[in-house]
Amino acid sequence: MSATRARLATVATLLVVAVIGLAGCGLVSSSGTFKQASLPDGSRPLDGAKLTVTSKSFTEGVILGKITATYLAAAGADVTDLTGAPGSASSRQAQLNGDADILWEYTGTGWVNYHNETETIADPKELWQKVHDIELKENQLVWLPPANFNDTYAFAASTPTAKRLNVKSLSDVAKLPVADRTFCVDDEFFSRPDGFKPMLAKYGMPLDGPNGVPLGNVTRMDAGVVYTSTAKSSPCNFGMVYTTDGRIKNLDLAVLEDDKKFFLPYSGTAVVREDVMKRYPQLNELLGTISERLTDDVMQDLNGRVDIDGEDPADVAYDWLLSEKLIVPKD
């Protein structure tokens, strides 16, 4: 569900002011700390650096923050962990204020929420470049090259249903008989100006239009219930999901290709204050080492370990870094 939570970044201004006013440092972590480790070769390229890592409070944000804090501390930095910042926008505000140095963000969030842009840019690299340029100019924030995961909206079906109906893309759905075009969506996506109705129009099956999708074919429900309903193919064949949600694998859902590129990319990106990047240019390579290993599949697994299996994000981050041979246990 992180795509939706990322979109809420502009609605908590009053909470941000209250939180930042509570302490001189601005924020207090609500999710503990990270595990200590070392780099495999014993080097400490960030020896002497003092860095503050923050994150939003939803699962994926916290995991990314813990991965970053663990890895940079292993590289020798003195890391302050402010992951799990309360409120939707407090981590962003802390970085703008200079109270935090590193935060994982989403290109779609930067484009829509932070800069109020309405143009849909389907190409992830083009969107990243535009966000990178405007953020550097206006806020002195460096958006590093994005990771290989995109936490955006999508539609999915149970794997048996996808095979039975022979659908792999949303265009395939548009070719089905009207009776098979049944959807589960949450209220927020149903009513968004860039949500369900324009998506259906893009694919030539207008809501409640001739040869489209009758209103009776659409069931509105809580986002969490969408996943289980889609897995059961009842009351819908197709459900709205978020592409890095752990329940996709857990429930064996088949994500349909957005072949007409309707949905805005929400590529995960490490964001660093410009003055910090100038002081510690090593961050470019270190954070790039993390980014290049993060994919939709990886994030589904990591999110699932927290949301489904109940593991601690700090443990999940540490275990993943170990599995990638990016760290070793500290002596």
Side-chain angles (χ1 to χ4, degrees), residues 312-323:
D312 188 302
D315 294 335
V316 171
Y318 179 80
D319 290 346
W320 179 76
L321 288 165
L322 280 177
S323 71

Side-chain angles (χ1 to χ4, degrees), residues 160-172:
T161 293
K163 290 179 179 177
R164 175 175 60 84
L165 296 176
N166 193 28
V167 292
K168 296 181 180 179
S169 69
L170 287 171
S171 287
D172 291 337

